[in-house]
Amino acid sequence: MIEARGLTKRYGRTLAVNDLSFTVQPGRVTGFLGPNGAGKSTTMRMILGLDRPTAGDVRIDGKRYADLKEPLRHVGALLDARWVHPNRSARAHLRWLAVSNRLPEKRVGEVLELVGLTQVAGRRAGGYSLGMSQRLGIAGALLGDPGVLLFDEPVNGLDPEGILWIRQFMHRLAAEGRTVFVSSHLLSEMALTAQDLVVIGRGRLISQTSTSAFIEAASGSTVRVRGPELGRLREVIVAGGLAADDAPASDEGPAALVVHGATTDAVGELAGRAGLVLHELAAQRGSLEQAFIQMTGGDVEYRTGTPVGVAAPAGGPVMAVPGQPAGAGILSGAAPAGKGEPR
Amino acid sequence: MTALTLVKVERIKLFSTRSPWWCIAAAMVLTVGFVALAAGLITDTDAQEFTAPQTQGPYRFGFMIMMIMAVLAVTTEYRFGTIRATFLAVPNRTSALLAKAAVIALVAAAVGEVAGVASWGLAKAIRGSEAPLDFYTARDYRVVFGVGLYYLVAAVFAVAIGVLIRQSAGAIALVLLWPLLVENLILIIPRVGDDIQKWLPFTAGNNFLAAGTDHVGNAGDGPGDMPFGPWGSLVYFAVITAALLALALVTAKRRDA
Ligand SMILES: Nc1ncnc2c1ncn2[C@@H]1O[C@H](COP(=O)(O)OP(=O)(O)OP(=O)(O)O)[C@@H](O)[C@H]1O
Ligand SMILES: [Mg+2]
């Protein structure tokens, strides 16, 4: 288990990580999600005692990293696959790591086999492809058979086969009861890899939740509704306590309304009670990536602390629009998924 | 983690790349080779004054290359990020870096020792019949067998510089220019230059080898009246180096890896 409390890191004038608290549970893959520059790598370096937090602390199974005896037996990390001397062979690299934590040297052969590098283990690591380097990094992380594993953007630059391999690998590690914490800036990737998410933006925690709940919140809360009497429809919806925006006629269809934070059930019932005819009633699924950008990339004033409710007007640009009150917007309705299909 | 384990780790790291081997070979060839050349080429009259301490003249080549090796052993770790891998495996940075300094110091000392004895042995083999290459005084023993100690201290000095600067080009420039240029050019400063020079570390180290003879190093290299005798000078050199290493260790511990 990893527990961060009030973790803060300042580099000169940059506040890279800001009062970040979260926990990572064993037996699950926990995704660490945030756009570029959100502070994921910085946080991981602090977890591992490489960078000193400006404030707060982080513990692994109750201990600071620096207090772990023979840390490779507890924690395996792959922060950067290039942290290998290019003129050293993979075997020599793993060998000094093994010796440092008094691991039996036969472990070197075992992990090389595990990641499929046995054939090339004697070659200089500088000549490895990115995928091979990544595998060597994973071999290093697994050397001490640790219960806690950290991976920083492990699939960056890998081909689909490599991505699949790493994903399955992480699932297996978690299924063995280990704590697996893996960062990414791609929600679509995390949706397939992680069961839990720690989402950060600009160094702050945005949400810690299960992946399915996050995706639900990110994408399922907008309804597009259309009928012959748009004006009355809007009054009814607003009277029902929901926020509605105009969606002018566009490629997507004729003029309609977009209702935020609602389900098709709720909107349909409101319209039915008022006896209004509907021509279209559909849940709008924003693309995950768009939703994610809006949640993590906006200015601080557009963040509400919950994953829902930060957005731009339907069909509008992805960026939050100044003047839109925080929490009143929706996720962009411009995405194609599910468009026009009644639920 | 025992000290011995950490030393073994650093030994594996040092010798699993090729550059230390090249450095060791270059140091040997340049020191021993130069002496062999000199022994072969000097005239018979000059050979009359070719003494044991004189066979150590090219020691500067050797310790410079050992300092480059020492700097690179540290700075390449920063360059390639393996220092982070090291600190992940051994979170006690002070121990990890001390082990590295120890391994490099031992290698440099061994190289200096072998180069020193081999230089003398080869000179004796080539010119033993004419030149007075036997050991006559304590000074002769000190210079031939002590040159490894000078290498040892110089290598630790270079490790400390490497840790402080973390960058190959800058650190190498410093360890080459400091003993060669700065400590000599300081004499340009009128009046006080001479007084400052004799307190500088490499001048002191050189005095360990040069005291009581002008056969080692450049003639007139050191100031006339050194504050310490030969062994005192070596201790002084070592103390300054230890202080620099301590500074480097504290710095490495405090800053982000
Ligand atoms: N050593 C450093 N010195 C100064 N600023 C830094 C340092 N490391 C990170 N930063 C800054 O801190 C912020 C967070 O960087 P970090 O690398 O942790 O982000 P990240 O979430 O890992 O991004 P990415 O997805 O691009 O890897 C950035 O603004 C970055 O410029
Ligand atoms: Mg990063």
Side-chain angles (χ1 to χ4, degrees), chain A residues 185-299:
Chain A
H185 57 270
L186 296 175
L187 177 54
S188 51
E189 170 58 31
M190 285 296 98
L192 297 169
T193 309
Q195 283 119 34
D196 288 335
L197 286 180
V198 172
V199 187
I200 64 169
R202 300 190 170 203
R204 297 188 71 103
L205 184 71
I206 289 175
S207 155
Q208 164 151 34
T209 167
S210 73
T211 308
S212 54
F214 184 81
I215 288 172
E216 190 60 33
S219 55
S221 58
T222 303
V223 172
R224 180 180 161 94
V225 58
R226 183 167 60 88
E229 292 177 87
L230 269 190
R232 275 208 59 206
L233 188 56
R234 179 215 296 280
E235 283 165 23
V236 165
I237 290 169
V238 172
L242 297 170
D245 276 334
D246 285 315
S250 71
D251 306 350
E252 289 183 62
L257 295 175
V258 172
V259 188
H260 316 303
T263 61
T264 48
D265 297 16
V267 175
E269 272 166 34
L270 281 174
R273 256 184 260 139
L276 286 167
V277 173
L278 295 186
H279 289 168
E280 181 183 341
L281 177 62
Q284 298 254 299
R285 272 194 174 273
S287 88
L288 288 180
E289 298 308 340
Q290 260 179 0
F292 172 57
I293 288 166
Q294 294 189 353
M295 280 178 213
T296 55
D299 264 312

Side-chain angles (χ1 to χ4, degrees), chain A residues 70-302:
Chain A
E70 297 175 348
L72 301 186
R73 293 173 184 267
H74 303 277
V75 184
L78 169 57
L79 292 201
D80 190 330
R82 292 163 308 172
W83 288 355
V84 179
H85 194 297
N87 291 332
R88 199 174 275 142
S89 71
R91 193 181 297 281
H93 175 72
L94 294 172
R95 189 160 159 256
W96 75 255
L97 280 175
V99 168
S100 71
N101 279 235
R102 296 191 303 124
L103 299 162
E105 293 194 26
K106 72 172 190 338
R107 262 312 273 174
V108 171
E110 285 171 15
V111 292
L112 281 169
E113 194 68 47
L114 202 61
V115 300
L117 284 182
T118 310
Q119 301 301 316
V120 294
R123 274 167 44 186
R124 51 186 288 274
Y128 286 7
S129 71
L130 185 61
M132 287 157 80
S133 302
Q134 214 78 348
R135 282 166 190 256
L136 175 56
I138 290 178
L142 295 175
L143 204 56
D145 196 17
V148 177
L149 286 141
L150 282 84
F151 300 101
D152 193 8
E153 312 244 9
V155 301
N156 247 10
L158 291 190
D159 60 16
E161 196 195 331
I163 292 175
L164 189 65
W165 181 79
I166 288 196
R167 196 184 291 151
Q168 290 171 343
F169 209 89
M170 286 191 278
H171 286 155
R172 210 165 84 212
L173 293 169
E176 290 166 358
R178 301 174 210 261
T179 306
V180 182
F181 193 41
V182 49
S183 82
S184 173
H185 57 270
L186 296 175
L187 177 54
S188 51
E189 170 58 31
M190 285 296 98
L192 297 169
T193 309
Q195 283 119 34
D196 288 335
L197 286 180
V198 172
V199 187
I200 64 169
R202 300 190 170 203
R204 297 188 71 103
L205 184 71
I206 289 175
S207 155
Q208 164 151 34
T209 167
S210 73
T211 308
S212 54
F214 184 81
I215 288 172
E216 190 60 33
S219 55
S221 58
T222 303
V223 172
R224 180 180 161 94
V225 58
R226 183 167 60 88
E229 292 177 87
L230 269 190
R232 275 208 59 206
L233 188 56
R234 179 215 296 280
E235 283 165 23
V236 165
I237 290 169
V238 172
L242 297 170
D245 276 334
D246 285 315
S250 71
D251 306 350
E252 289 183 62
L257 295 175
V258 172
V259 188
H260 316 303
T263 61
T264 48
D265 297 16
V267 175
E269 272 166 34
L270 281 174
R273 256 184 260 139
L276 286 167
V277 173
L278 295 186
H279 289 168
E280 181 183 341
L281 177 62
Q284 298 254 299
R285 272 194 174 273
S287 88
L288 288 180
E289 298 308 340
Q290 260 179 0
F292 172 57
I293 288 166
Q294 294 189 353
M295 280 178 213
T296 55
D299 264 312
V300 177
E301 55 189 283
Y302 293 104

Side-chain angles (χ1 to χ4, degrees), chain A residues 9-17 32-45 51 152-153 156 183-185 200 202-203, chain B residues 84 256-257:
Chain A
K9 180 70 190 184
R10 181 182 284 283
Y11 295 108
R13 298 182 59 193
T14 319
L15 194 55
V17 174
F32 191 25
L33 190 62
N36 291 137
K40 304 180 295 292
S41 301
T42 304
T43 303
M44 288 205 161
R45 287 199 303 272
D51 281 17
D152 193 8
E153 312 244 9
N156 247 10
S183 82
S184 173
H185 57 270
I200 64 169
R202 300 190 170 203
Chain B
R84 286 164 171 164
D256 295 333

Side-chain angles (χ1 to χ4, degrees), chain B residues 173-252:
Chain B
L174 191 68
V175 299
L176 290 188
L177 295 184
W178 178 264
L180 279 185
L181 280 183
V182 177
E183 293 207 5
N184 288 318
L185 290 182
I186 199 100
L187 286 174
I188 293 173
I189 305 175
R191 293 218 305 256
V192 290
D194 201 53
D195 290 333
I196 298 176
Q197 191 196 35
K198 61 189 177 195
W199 292 99
L200 295 177
F202 287 88
T203 306
N206 187 59
N207 188 51
F208 165 64
L209 297 175
T213 164
D214 52 15
H215 294 314
V216 170
N218 302 340
D221 186 29
D225 51 336
M226 288 296 290
F228 304 106
W231 288 100
S233 294
L234 181 69
V235 170
Y236 178 77
F237 185 29
V239 166
I240 291 202
T241 299
L244 191 69
L245 182 66
L247 178 70
L249 294 177
V250 170
T251 309

Side-chain angles (χ1 to χ4, degrees), chain B residues 74-172:
Chain B
V74 178
T75 54
T76 54
E77 289 234 36
Y78 279 99
R79 158 121 187 264
F80 296 121
T82 50
I83 195 74
R84 286 164 171 164
T86 302
F87 292 159
L88 286 183
V90 186
N92 186 337
R93 299 181 186 182
T94 305
S95 309
L97 291 172
L98 272 178
K100 181 183 282 297
V103 168
I104 289 166
L106 286 178
V107 170
V111 167
E113 216 50 44
V114 172
V117 173
S119 297
W120 170 79
L122 203 61
K124 184 145 173 71
I126 296 171
R127 274 300 167 93
S129 46
E130 304 108 299
L133 282 166
D134 289 334
F135 292 152
Y136 299 103
T137 63
R139 188 200 74 199
D140 294 341
Y141 286 100
R142 189 184 81 229
V143 176
V144 173
F145 292 103
V147 75
L149 293 175
Y150 184 97
Y151 279 47
L152 184 151
V153 180
V156 174
F157 191 96
V159 167
I161 295 291
V163 172
L164 285 169
I165 296 189
R166 286 186 282 183
Q167 203 237 14
S168 301
I172 288 180

